Amino acid sequence: MQAAKRLPYATAGGGRRGASGSGVVPPLVVLVFLFVLAPSIFFVARNGGHVHVASDPNDREGNQETDWQKQLATKNLKSILSKEMIDAIAASQQEAGALSVDFFRNRESPSWKTDDLVNDLSNASLDVDDKVKSVNSSAEHDLSTTDKAPKEDTDEHQVDTAAKNARRKLREKRREKRAMDLVRKDDEARVKLENAAIERSKAVDSAVLGKYSIWRKENENENSDSTVRLMRDQIIMARVYSVLAKSKNKNDLYQELQTRIKESQRAVGEATADSDLHHSAPEKIRVMGQILSKAREDVYDCKVVTQRLRAMLQSADEQVRSLKKQSTFLSQLAAKTIPNSIHCLSMRLTIDYYLLPMEKRKFPRSENLENPELYHYALFSDNVLAASVVVNSTIMNAKEPEKHVFHLVTDKLNFGAMNMWFLLNPPGKATIHVENVDEFKWLNSSYCPVLRQLESAAMKEYYFKADRPTTLSAGSSNLKYRNPKYLSMLNHLRFYLPQVYPKLDKILFLDDDIVVQKDLTGLWDVDLNGKVNGAVETCGESFHRFDKYINFSNPHIARNFDPNACGWAYGMNIFDLKEWKKKDITGIYHKWQNMNEDRVLWKLGTLPPGLLTFYKLTHPLDKSWHVLGLGYNPSIDRSEIDNAAVVHYNGNMKPWLELAMTKYRPYWTRYIKYDHPYIRGCNLAE
């Protein structure tokens, strides 16, 4: 409502009073509103915003007074209300019918309507505007012409019905669309919840699934060794008090403490859990508690007890370090030894091989050995059983076994055994050939730096010095590098592949401590992008990088290599022998090997010189080709192992040793025929 507009008679009547400065104007406005405006609004709203003038002559006299009042109310209303307000009232009347008191009682205010209805009305605003304009024009026309009202009412009713039907259809379509959107969103939310549940289920530790009632913690004793620890703590305190009792000449207390210590030690024994304790343990705890209470009353001295406990802690720490050194020594010793059963197998096979006539010592399909169109493998090993697992696992998972060629190289001690095994157990339709590394006459000390260094006095002193440590713990830090495999040319032969196989273009190098689980022919299709070596990288955030293997304090190393360069693994490597020859890889290896004669660039082994030789010449393969760590890492994800093309038992815990991790051993043993006569005869057990 516009406040500036006033009724003519209201303005005239209030002008004098306003001039007098009295406060009579507000009551006058209220009276005008009650007696003039309110009836006018009611009549206009009830008649749709316009006044119908009767066209029937008979009714004109009876309704003349009423029509005059309606026309006067309409004029007064137009002078007060804006055109937009009148249009809105007319639109509401067209939408909901004639206004009345009951209408407001039975219907909610338009301001209470939901947002959807507001959107519906706003979307149909064009139709409403057109209708309001037509209503206003008809209202103005009715004031001047009164003889056409019934016909126009009929037309307006038909237009209103069609408009309402159109709006109703629009509302129904929007409701259907909103319902479809809600259903779609609900489906998407359900899918997201299902996917999240699947991901959470993958994170569940499968190791605990075998436990009974894993959701009931009361069924698990989290302190299963609490009694054992209590008894050991009592023994420690009894030793402290026994020293104090002896220093204070309390011999009776000292003797009694010594007696209780021995009894508790016998009761504990080698127990690691409460269930392993002797049935007399509770009584020993009670008696020891009594004597400890007595000793505390008689000889307790806080300062002396603290000093004694600190001395015992230091002694225990030294014992732990010593035991760790012994453990390292024994694990290294076990890693470089061959079990009796495998040694037995090798000896029996060797004897039977040399009993064979010469014509029966040859392998079939020798014409495939130099065919570059086939898939060639290089395997250098002195372990018959390990080599058989590599060959068997490769063939059993190959799609076309007849296209695979295995080049085995061993030493003269195992040459007969290796030949005999594969003569008795040929790898199906695949081709196999066994060679003796000692028959490579070109591989001598004048050509090979490693052989020349092994002949030096310094190297002999390092490997064969007479003043070796006589204890298990002493000198174990360098034991790893004194492993005999570092003295064998089988380990360094990987740097001479083009010399061993001059007519081949590509070859896949395999270690003898791996197991093949998938077809490997896809490696020959990998584009190495001009690189020589295809290998799986092993670096993480801060480990297995160049500075972990090579001495970067040396200026030659620091000048030519990046200490943060990513390391890679031997064990499964695809080599492009054409690029090898172009880039003279063997010459690069000789250069760095000559510079390391005094072992200042790296310790012994083949990985450090390999990192230097193939620096910026290695193409990274997908990690699923080669999963490492089965010889030292007990926490490898099971899915990674199952999805790997090759699993590698790098580390000391080889699968043919007793110290192998039992959880990984089945991946290796599945490719051994334990019912074979030679294996049974040497007591090789699964």
Side-chain angles (χ1 to χ4, degrees):
M1 181 183 295
Q2 297 178 358
K5 294 183 178 181
R6 301 176 183 270
L7 291 173
Y9 48 82
T11 304
R16 293 186 300 270
R17 298 180 182 233
S20 64
S22 64
V24 183
V25 174
L28 180 60
V29 173
V30 173
L31 291 175
V32 170
F33 179 82
L34 291 177
F35 291 100
V36 178
L37 297 184
S40 301
I41 294 173
F42 179 79
F43 286 120
V44 171
R46 185 173 183 82
N47 289 278
H50 60 275
V51 178
H52 293 282
V53 180
S55 59
D56 188 358
N58 296 327
D59 296 336
R60 184 171 301 177
E61 294 179 359
N63 296 330
Q64 183 176 4
E65 184 178 356
T66 302
D67 292 340
W68 176 84
Q69 293 176 351
K70 290 181 180 180
Q71 290 178 6
L72 180 61
T74 301
K75 289 181 180 180
N76 293 335
L77 186 63
K78 287 183 178 181
S79 64
I80 297 172
L81 300 179
S82 64
K83 185 177 182 298
E84 290 79 3
M85 291 290 290
I86 298 175
D87 293 344
I89 295 172
S92 299
Q93 193 270 344
Q94 292 291 336
E95 178 71 22
L99 297 177
S100 65
V101 176
D102 293 335
F103 173 84
F104 290 104
R105 290 175 179 173
N106 299 329
R107 289 172 175 79
E108 297 177 8
S109 171
S111 62
W112 299 348
K113 294 183 180 180
T114 61
D115 294 337
D116 293 337
L117 184 56
V118 173
N119 293 334
D120 294 341
L121 293 175
S122 63
N123 291 333
S125 60
L126 295 177
D127 296 337
V128 173
D129 290 341
D130 293 341
K131 287 178 57 182
V132 170
K133 290 179 180 179
S134 63
V135 170
N136 291 335
S137 61
S138 63
E140 294 175 357
H141 182 69
D142 287 342
L143 291 174
S144 59
T145 58
T146 59
D147 57 337
K148 299 181 180 180
K151 182 177 180 180
E152 290 178 356
D153 288 343
T154 304
D155 294 339
E156 287 180 2
H157 179 71
Q158 292 177 354
V159 172
D160 292 346
T161 303
K164 290 180 180 179
N165 291 335
R167 286 196 298 273
R168 187 181 303 107
K169 290 180 180 180
L170 287 174
R171 286 195 295 270
E172 290 177 356
K173 289 182 179 180
R174 292 190 185 96
R175 291 193 189 100
E176 292 178 359
K177 183 178 179 181
R178 285 196 298 272
M180 293 177 64
D181 291 341
L182 291 174
V183 171
R184 179 178 54 79
K185 291 179 180 179
D186 184 66
D187 292 340
E188 292 177 354
R190 180 172 53 80
V191 171
K192 289 181 180 179
L193 290 174
E194 291 176 355
N195 293 335
I198 292 173
E199 292 300 324
R200 287 195 299 272
S201 66
K202 291 180 180 179
V204 176
D205 187 4
S206 59
V208 302
L209 296 180
K211 293 185 177 182
Y212 169 74
S213 298
I214 60 173
W215 58 88
R216 301 197 43 197
K217 295 299 182 181
E218 64 269 21
N219 290 325
E220 297 183 8
N221 186 1
E222 297 180 356
N223 299 318
S224 59
D225 61 342
S226 58
T227 306
V228 174
R229 288 188 284 109
L230 173 60
M231 295 188 71
R232 288 177 177 166
D233 290 344
Q234 286 183 335
I235 293 172
I236 292 172
M237 291 306 302
R239 287 175 178 171
V240 174
Y241 285 138
S242 66
V243 174
L244 294 177
K246 189 174 183 179
S247 65
K248 294 184 178 182
N249 296 322
K250 293 185 178 294
N251 295 326
D252 294 340
L253 180 60
Y254 172 77
Q255 293 296 334
E256 189 173 0
L257 285 169
Q258 290 295 321
T259 301
R260 300 308 175 195
I261 289 173
K262 293 178 181 179
E263 291 178 353
S264 295
Q265 287 177 338
R266 285 195 294 267
V268 174
E270 300 294 331
T272 58
D274 295 349
S275 58
D276 301 331
L277 289 172
H278 192 267
H279 60 82
S280 62
E283 179 63 22
K284 304 300 182 185
I285 293 174
R286 185 186 64 80
V287 176
M288 178 65 84
Q290 293 176 352
I291 190 63
L292 288 176
S293 298
K294 180 180 178 182
R296 180 180 177 83
E297 295 174 357
D298 294 345
V299 299
Y300 181 76
D301 187 328
C302 181
K303 182 178 180 180
V304 177
V305 169
T306 303
Q307 293 175 349
R308 188 62 187 172
L309 288 174
R310 185 179 293 111
M312 293 176 67
L313 179 61
Q314 293 175 353
S315 176
D317 187 54
E318 292 177 359
Q319 291 179 7
V320 169
R321 286 199 296 267
S322 176
L323 290 173
K324 284 184 177 180
K325 289 183 178 180
Q326 292 182 21
S327 175
T328 303
F329 178 89
L330 293 174
S331 62
Q332 296 289 344
L333 183 64
K336 68 181 184 179
T337 56
I338 297 294
N340 288 337
S341 54
I342 296 180
H343 182 70
C344 165
L345 177 65
S346 181
M347 293 299 100
R348 289 194 176 190
L349 290 169
T350 301
I351 293 172
D352 291 347
Y353 175 75
Y354 288 108
L355 292 176
L356 286 176
M358 293 300 296
E359 61 273 11
K360 293 185 178 180
R361 298 182 184 179
K362 296 181 179 180
F363 291 98
R365 295 180 289 274
S366 59
E367 67 277 4
N368 294 334
L369 296 177
E370 296 181 346
N371 185 354
E373 301 298 325
L374 302 179
Y375 305 110
H376 294 265
Y377 300 83
L379 175 60
F380 308 147
S381 175
D382 58 359
N383 188 325
V384 176
L385 195 62
S388 70
V389 170
V390 175
V391 174
N392 290 344
S393 62
T394 304
I395 295 301
M396 291 177 66
N397 292 284
K399 296 179 180 179
E400 298 176 299
E402 67 278 2
K403 294 184 179 181
H404 295 255
V405 182
F406 293 90
H407 302 267
L408 271 70
V409 180
T410 186
D411 55 18
K412 61 182 178 182
L413 182 63
N414 295 280
F415 178 72
M418 200 75 72
N419 276 280
M420 189 64 187
W421 177 264
F422 288 105
L423 287 170
L424 294 173
N425 306 279
K429 297 180 181 180
T431 304
I432 194 166
H433 181 60
V434 181
E435 295 180 272
N436 182 2
V437 68
D438 297 305
E439 294 179 358
F440 296 161
K441 300 305 180 183
W442 51 270
L443 197 62
N444 50 54
S445 59
S446 62
Y447 175 67
C448 179
V450 172
L451 289 176
R452 183 174 64 254
Q453 291 167 9
L454 288 176
E455 294 177 355
S456 66
M459 192 69 72
K460 290 179 180 178
E461 175 68 14
Y462 180 77
Y463 276 104
F464 307 110
K465 60 184 179 181
D467 56 342
R468 287 271 182 98
T470 56
T471 62
L472 290 176
S473 59
S476 62
S477 59
N478 291 326
L479 183 63
K480 175 181 179 180
Y481 305 108
R482 295 191 177 100
N483 195 313
K485 73 178 183 179
Y486 298 123
L487 299 175
S488 173
M489 276 309 300
L490 288 176
N491 201 41
H492 292 267
L493 195 61
R494 64 192 68 191
F495 293 104
Y496 300 95
L497 290 175
Q499 289 80 3
V500 182
Y501 312 108
K503 295 186 179 181
L504 300 181
D505 297 335
K506 275 190 175 183
I507 195 166
L508 183 64
F509 171 78
L510 298 176
D511 271 344
D512 63 356
D513 55 351
I514 63 103
V515 174
V516 178
Q517 300 186 128
K518 294 183 180 180
D519 181 67
L520 300 180
T521 55
L523 288 169
W524 275 263
D525 298 328
V526 174
D527 185 4
L528 299 181
N529 297 315
K531 305 295 180 62
V532 180
N533 174 27
V536 170
E537 293 182 335
T538 58
C539 59
E541 294 181 358
S542 61
F543 56 90
H544 288 177
R545 297 188 180 271
F546 271 41
D547 59 351
K548 302 299 180 182
Y549 302 97
I550 306 167
N551 179 20
F552 273 85
S553 63
N554 185 280
H556 296 289
I557 297 296
R559 194 164 46 243
N560 293 281
F561 301 97
D562 179 10
N564 293 318
C566 191
W568 46 268
Y570 270 124
M572 189 212 71
N573 307 79
I574 184 72
F575 290 109
D576 188 335
L577 300 184
K578 287 184 177 181
E579 292 294 330
W580 185 306
K581 296 172 186 176
K582 290 179 182 178
K583 294 178 170 59
D584 190 21
I585 296 300
T586 304
I588 298 174
Y589 163 70
H590 284 173
K591 168 192 170 183
W592 291 109
Q593 191 68 51
N594 285 324
M595 295 176 63
N596 193 48
E597 185 170 0
D598 53 357
R599 301 182 305 280
V600 296
L601 303 184
W602 70 86
K603 299 294 184 181
L604 296 178
T606 55
L607 182 57
L611 296 176
L612 301 181
T613 301
F614 294 101
Y615 182 63
K616 294 185 178 180
L617 297 174
T618 299
H619 175 76
L621 299 176
D622 188 89
K623 292 185 181 297
S624 63
W625 281 111
H626 187 189
V627 171
L628 299 103
L630 277 72
Y632 70 90
N633 185 3
S635 59
I636 303 176
D637 189 80
R638 178 70 176 269
S639 62
E640 290 186 23
I641 298 176
D642 293 338
N643 294 328
V646 170
V647 292
H648 194 171
Y649 292 84
N650 58 313
N652 291 330
M653 301 179 183
K654 303 299 183 185
W656 55 82
L657 300 176
E658 291 184 1
L659 51 82
M661 283 184 275
T662 55
K663 62 186 294 186
Y664 300 144
R665 203 163 185 266
Y667 294 99
W668 188 80
T669 57
R670 69 179 61 169
Y671 295 104
I672 298 177
K673 297 179 180 179
Y674 285 96
D675 57 348
H676 194 281
Y678 281 88
I679 293 179
R680 281 205 319 267
C682 290
N683 297 320
L684 271 165
E686 188 174 0

